Amino acid sequence: MSPVEENVSLTDGMHLLVKALKLNGIDKIYGVVGIPVTDLAREAQKQGIRYIGFRHEQSAGNAAAITGFLTKKPGICLTVSAPGFLNGLISLANATVNGFPMIQISGSSDRSIIDLQQGDYEELDQMNIAKPFAKASYRINKPEDIAIGVARTIRAAVSGKPGGVYLDVTANLLQTAIDKIAAEKTLFSPEDPAPSFIPSRDSIQKALSLLSKAKKPLIILGKGAAYAQTDENIKTFIEKTGIPFLPMSMAKGLLPDDHIQSAAAARSFVLKNADTVILLGARLNWLLSHGKGSHWNPNVKFIQLDIDPKEIDSNHFIAGPIVGDIASSMNSLLEELPNYSFNFDSNWNSSIEDIKKTNEVKMNEKLNLSSNPLNYYNALKVVKEVLDAHRDIYLVNEGANTLDDTRNVVNMYYPRRRLDCGTWGVMGIGMGFAIGAAVTSGKPVLAIEGDSAFGFSGMEISTICEYNLPVTIVVFNNGGIYRGDGLNLSGGSDPSPTTLMETARYDKLIEAFGGVPYNVSTGEELKKAIVAGITSLKPTLINCIIDPKAGTESGHITSLNPKHLSDK
C-alpha cells in the first residue's frame, strides 16, 4: 500500500489524472506499460476504464486514432518515456495528418536532469519533440494543473480540424501528493470542446450560384465528410441535386457504393470532364493530383467545404470556399438550396452510366478469370461476395496491390466501415485499426492485408487473441513487396529487395496464441474460411496463397517512383 493510499486525506497526480480522464468520458485506453505509467494503467482499469495492452506503441496509437475517427472523441494512447514515446509518435503524426482526434499520454523523466542533459533514465525532451508532428503538445508539471491540462488536450484534439495531441506527464507529477479534497475541486469537464463553426451565408450563396451555372457537376466525398457524421444531410443534398458523387477511399459507404449516382466506376471520366467540383471534406492533395494536370478538366471550378481555412487555395484556386464544420455547412446548403435552380447537361449522368457499364464489364472479366494460384482479383471476388452478404462489417485494408484492388472491387454500404492507410498511404495501420474498430464497435472486423503490410503490425495478433476480439485477418501472401518474383540483380543468393518468403505460413502465428488458423489456395476455401471467421466472432487468420507474379510495382501509384537512368 502506497503512502497516499494509507493517508485518506491525500491523493496524488496518478490518481487525479485517472479521475480527470474518467470525468471527461474516457472509457478506454490503448497502450504499452512500463516506467513510469504502469500504476496509471492499473488504476484506470480499477476505476472502470478499459485498458487494452499492446506489443508495440505504434499499433496502440493507431487503435486510439481510429477510435477517434469512429467516435469523434479523442482516442487515448498510453506509452512509457523516450523509445516508447517515439514509437507512439508515428501514429500521433499520422492521426494529425488525417484529422483523427487522438491523445498520446507519455510518461517522462526528471525535467531538471533532462534540461541539463545530465543523462537521466530514458532522457528525452518529449514535449518539444512532439510539436512538429502534433496539433498541440503540452506538459503537466503540477497535480493542481491536471484538470486544466486534460481539458486543453481534449479541446485541442477535437475542436476545429481534429488531430493528434501530445500530453507529457512526468514521473514526479504522477507521484506528487496533494490534498484530496482540494484536488477534486479542481476537476471539471470542458464545455462544448468542439463548437460548431458555421459558414457565412455569403459563402453558401456564392457556392450555390456557381453550382447553378454548372453543366457537368461532381461531388467528391472525403473522409472529413465521413468523420462529420452528418450522413443523412449529405445523402439528401446529393439526391436532391442529382449530382454524381465520387467517394474517396474512407468515404466509401457514406452512400452505398451501388447507389445510382455513384461515379466510382467512372473515376477518370468524371475527373476529366466535370466543370464544377464540390470537395466535401476532401483535400486537393496528391490523392487527387493536386487538382492539376491531365487528370482534370483544365477549366474546372472548385467549391470546397472544409473547417480549416488553410486548406482553401492550397493547391488550386477555389472559386467557392465554404469554411465551416461539415455538419453546419450541409445544414446551410440545404436551407438555401430551394432558392436555386439547376440546369445540368442532360447527357452528363447517362454518359457516366455508359462508362460505368463498360468498366464494370472489364472488371467482371478480371474477377471471373480462373487462375491457379489465385490472383488479387479472383481472390477479391470472394471477399466482395462475402461482404455483400455481411454489409455491416468493418473492413480494414492495407498494402499496395491489396489496398488498391480491394478499394476498387469491394463495395461498402455503410459509413465509416472502410478503414485504411489514409492520406500518407502508410503501412502498419492494420492490426491497430482492426483492434480499435472491434473494441469501439463490438462488431466483426475483416482485415485484408498484403503480406508485406501485415509484417509491420502482425505481432498484435497476440492482442487480438488475448482480448478475444472478433477480428478475421486475411493475408494475401504472394511472397513479396508488390510481387514475389523479384530478382537479385547481382546474381547473388540473397533475395531481391522486394522479395519476402513465398512459403511463409502466417496462419501458424495465430495458432500460437490460441486463434483459429486457415491456409487456403482456392476461392472456395477462402470463402468458407472468411465466413467461418466473421460468424464465429473468434480471432482468425487466413493465409491466402497468391501468385507471386500477380501485382504491379507500387500498386496504382507506380508513377510516383523516381525515373532513373539505366546503368550500362
Side-chain angles (χ1 to χ4, degrees):
M1 182 177 292
S2 71
V4 169
E5 290 173 319
E6 292 175 355
N7 192 332
V8 294
S9 67
L10 295 177
T11 188
D12 60 22
M14 182 271 288
H15 289 86
L16 197 60
L17 179 55
V18 171
K19 288 186 176 181
L21 293 171
K22 190 170 183 181
L23 180 64
N24 280 279
I26 302 303
D27 59 2
K28 60 183 73 70
I29 293 173
Y30 308 96
V32 179
V33 298
I35 298 172
V37 297
T38 306
D39 283 342
L40 175 61
R42 290 186 178 121
E43 180 65 17
Q45 191 176 62
K46 178 181 176 181
Q47 296 303 323
I49 297 174
R50 191 178 188 192
Y51 177 79
I52 307 294
F54 281 71
R55 293 302 187 99
H56 195 282
E57 294 87 351
Q58 182 178 336
S59 291
N62 284 326
I66 210 62
T67 294
F69 173 73
L70 294 172
T71 65
K72 300 182 70 175
K73 298 177 181 178
I76 307 296
C77 172
L78 179 67
T79 86
V80 301
S81 48
F85 155 79
L86 290 171
N87 286 341
L89 189 58
I90 299 169
S91 50
L92 187 73
N94 192 51
T96 302
V97 167
N98 282 279
F100 300 158
M102 169 193 166
I103 297 170
Q104 178 176 326
I105 301 174
S106 295
S108 63
S109 301
D110 190 311
R111 290 302 316 158
S112 62
I113 300 176
I114 291 173
D115 290 345
L116 283 174
Q117 298 180 18
Q118 294 176 313
D120 200 9
Y121 169 73
E122 295 191 345
E123 174 185 298
L124 199 66
D125 187 1
Q126 296 165 197
M127 185 189 76
N128 286 311
I129 288 171
K131 285 180 179 179
F133 305 103
K135 186 180 176 186
S137 182
Y138 303 113
R139 177 185 298 121
I140 305 175
N141 290 297
K142 300 184 297 183
E144 296 91 336
D145 292 334
I146 284 174
I148 289 290
V150 169
R152 291 202 70 188
T153 303
I154 290 173
R155 189 177 292 277
V158 298
S159 62
K161 179 183 175 181
V165 180
Y166 175 64
L167 183 62
D168 192 270
V169 293
T170 66
N172 188 57
L173 167 77
L174 295 173
Q175 68 186 358
T176 296
I178 184 175
D179 181 79
K180 189 173 185 179
I181 295 174
E184 292 187 353
K185 286 181 180 179
T186 68
L187 296 176
F188 70 96
S189 179
E191 185 67 27
D192 193 17
S196 298
F197 188 170
I198 299 171
S200 71
R201 189 178 182 193
D202 285 349
S203 69
I204 296 293
Q205 292 175 337
K206 174 68 181 295
L208 289 173
S209 178
L210 279 170
L211 190 61
S212 70
K213 299 178 179 67
K215 295 299 179 184
K216 298 179 179 180
L218 175 68
I219 295 172
I220 297 180
L221 300 171
K223 64 177 172 290
Y227 174 82
Q229 298 192 19
T230 184
D231 310 332
E232 282 303 313
N233 278 353
I234 291 173
K235 180 175 183 287
T236 298
F237 181 82
I238 288 173
E239 292 182 340
K240 278 190 173 182
T241 60
I243 299 173
F245 68 90
L246 178 66
M248 300 300 286
S249 189
M250 283 182 64
K252 283 167 65 73
L254 262 175
L255 282 79
D257 278 342
D258 60 357
H259 193 285
I260 187 64
Q261 288 170 245
S262 173
R267 176 188 171 101
S268 297
F269 176 79
V270 293
L271 293 180
K272 183 70 174 176
N273 290 279
D275 61 4
T276 304
V277 174
I278 300 176
L279 299 164
L280 211 172
R283 293 177 280 182
L284 280 178
N285 55 23
W286 71 277
L287 292 163
L288 287 169
S289 302
H290 307 284
K292 304 170 186 176
S294 60
H295 296 288
W296 289 92
N297 177 348
N299 299 312
V300 64
K301 292 182 172 63
F302 287 105
I303 297 166
Q304 185 169 10
L305 283 69
D306 204 289
I307 198 168
D308 185 0
K310 297 191 299 297
E311 284 296 334
I312 307 301
D313 302 326
S314 61
N315 276 296
H316 193 289
F317 170 64
I318 303 299
I322 299 176
V323 179
D325 69 90
I326 298 295
S328 297
S329 299
M330 292 310 303
N331 283 335
S332 298
L333 283 170
L334 286 172
E335 287 173 3
E336 289 287 338
L337 191 61
N339 300 324
Y340 293 83
S341 59
F342 304 100
N343 186 28
F344 305 146
D345 187 329
S346 59
N347 294 322
W348 178 228
N349 283 341
S350 61
S351 297
I352 295 171
E353 194 62 29
D354 289 343
I355 297 294
K356 284 167 60 177
K357 288 178 180 177
T358 299
N359 288 340
E360 284 164 2
V361 169
K362 294 177 182 178
M363 177 61 77
N364 285 330
E365 289 175 354
K366 293 180 180 180
L367 297 178
N368 291 316
L369 182 66
S370 179
S371 68
N372 183 19
L374 292 168
N375 61 38
Y376 287 100
Y377 285 101
N378 50 29
L380 285 169
K381 177 188 177 184
V382 172
V383 177
K384 180 182 186 302
E385 290 171 350
V386 173
L387 292 194
D388 282 346
H390 299 83
R391 298 188 171 195
D392 197 24
I393 201 166
Y394 283 82
L395 175 66
V396 173
N397 187 208
E398 64 175 336
N401 295 280
T402 303
L403 172 76
D404 295 332
D405 295 341
T406 302
R407 181 181 60 242
N408 291 343
V409 171
V410 178
N411 285 342
M412 305 306 298
Y413 300 95
Y414 294 99
R416 294 168 296 281
R417 293 300 191 275
R418 179 181 165 83
L419 312 172
D420 64 29
C421 304
T423 303
W424 267 351
V426 64
M427 298 297 104
I429 53 89
M431 298 303 97
F433 276 18
I435 293 167
V439 169
T440 300
S441 71
K443 294 180 180 291
V445 176
L446 177 64
I448 305 296
E449 300 276 310
D451 49 354
S452 173
F454 176 70
F456 285 81
S457 65
M459 195 61 187
E460 300 304 340
I461 58 176
S462 77
T463 305
I464 292 169
C465 291
E466 187 175 5
Y467 291 87
N468 195 31
L469 298 175
V471 175
T472 296
I473 305 153
V474 179
V475 178
F476 279 179
N477 182 5
N478 73 339
I481 302 171
Y482 316 131
R483 295 165 61 113
D485 60 350
L487 298 176
N488 180 334
L489 299 182
S490 74
S493 60
D494 285 347
S496 81
T498 58
T499 297
L500 301 175
M501 188 176 290
E502 181 185 343
T503 58
R505 289 288 303 273
Y506 295 102
D507 53 305
K508 294 292 186 181
L509 294 174
I510 203 164
E511 188 175 23
F513 296 103
V516 181
Y518 292 93
N519 183 50
V520 305
S521 59
T522 69
E524 183 180 359
E525 291 172 344
L526 177 60
K527 188 170 188 175
K528 287 180 179 178
I530 295 175
V531 171
I534 63 177
T535 55
S536 72
L537 306 181
K538 294 179 180 178
T540 301
L541 195 152
I542 303 163
N543 183 60
C544 180
I545 299 170
I546 298 290
D547 189 344
K549 297 186 293 295
T552 59
E553 180 91 5
S554 304
H556 290 190
I557 54 174
T558 302
S559 62
L560 297 183
N561 285 301
K563 307 295 188 296
H564 302 293
L565 298 174
S566 62
D567 185 12
K568 296 182 180 179

